[in-house]
């Protein structure tokens, strides 16, 4: 847990090398985690936990294509029953797609995240979708930007 938090800190200062080193080291320790406390074993309970952290860090680093590819892999293993996590990951994936200069793909992914946000009422998901809106701002006057606004309208109405 501490190493993945350090990786997030490294991503905040733009240090990809440290992000990768820390998450790779943490991956080597996963099989030693045996904590009965629910907050201590998220890395064992959550499918692709460290790749979720890596994708999040890559998104923060502005590595849109790399983050988007990781989100695609991660989302294949997230059960449909984990709606809130899935919605957050989809919103982050959409933001990564936008950073990778794929605004149409971002809207497509964001639409699914928005639907989950409306269904669950998740404040965390709404924050992630606000981040997507920020990344997509440069396309706000284009048709794809209007599509995003339309997709997010039901989410924004719930606020």
């Amino acid at each position: 847990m501490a190493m993945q938090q350090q990786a997030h800190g490294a991503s905040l200062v733009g240090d990809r090398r440290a992000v990768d080193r820390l998450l790779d080291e943490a991956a080597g320790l996963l099989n030693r985690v045996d904590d009965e406390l629910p907050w201590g074993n998220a890395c064992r309970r959550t499918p692709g936990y460290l790749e979720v952290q890596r994708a999040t860090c890559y998104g923060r680093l502005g590595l849109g294509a790399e983050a988007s590819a990781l989100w695609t892999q991660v989302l294949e293993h997230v059960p449909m029953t984990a709606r809130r996590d899935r919605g957050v990951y989809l919103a982050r994936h959409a933001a990564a797609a936008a950073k990778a200069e794929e605004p149409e793909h971002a809207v497509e992914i964001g639409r699914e995240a928005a639907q989950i946000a409306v269904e669950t009422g998740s404040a965390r998901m709404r924050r992630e979708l606000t981040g997507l809106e920020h990344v997509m701002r440069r396309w706000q006057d284009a048709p794809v930007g209007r599509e995003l606004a339309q997709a997010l309208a039901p989410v924004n109405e719930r606020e």
Side-chain angles (χ1 to χ4, degrees):
M1 296 293 284
M3 293 174 102
Q4 64 94 15
Q5 288 298 317
Q6 284 180 296
H8 282 283
S11 74
L12 289 170
V13 297
D15 190 347
R16 179 190 179 158
R17 193 177 327 209
V19 167
D20 287 331
R21 180 181 50 77
L22 287 159
L23 292 176
D24 289 346
E25 279 184 52
L29 299 173
L30 270 182
N31 63 351
R32 295 174 51 191
V33 174
D34 187 23
D35 193 337
E36 293 301 317
L37 299 171
W39 51 265
N41 64 11
C43 59
R44 299 282 300 248
R45 290 181 290 110
T46 305
Y49 180 80
L50 289 176
E51 293 311 299
V52 166
Q53 306 312 314
R54 191 180 310 270
T56 301
C57 289
Y58 282 9
R60 191 177 294 123
L61 287 165
L63 304 171
E66 292 93 333
S68 186
L70 283 171
W71 285 123
T72 298
Q73 291 173 11
V74 165
L75 284 159
E76 289 176 4
H77 303 288
V78 177
M80 294 303 248
T81 54
R83 302 275 295 155
R84 291 175 192 264
D85 284 345
R86 184 171 191 75
V88 167
Y89 300 165
L90 284 165
R92 291 179 185 173
H93 186 186
K99 289 176 185 173
E101 304 292 322
E102 298 177 359
E104 291 84 6
H105 191 166
V107 171
E108 177 184 325
I109 298 164
R111 190 175 285 119
E112 185 179 351
Q115 181 179 352
I116 296 171
V118 168
E119 292 169 3
T120 64
S122 170
R124 184 171 145 229
M125 212 174 310
R126 280 197 311 272
R127 281 193 305 273
E128 294 292 339
L129 290 169
T130 298
L132 171 59
E133 285 179 304
H134 177 74
V135 175
M136 289 285 294
R137 189 167 290 143
R138 64 190 270 203
W139 293 286
Q140 70 185 5
D141 295 325
V144 71
R146 290 188 290 278
E147 283 181 51
L148 179 67
Q150 184 178 14
L152 297 182
V155 176
N156 295 331
E157 289 172 4
R158 290 196 70 173
E159 289 183 13

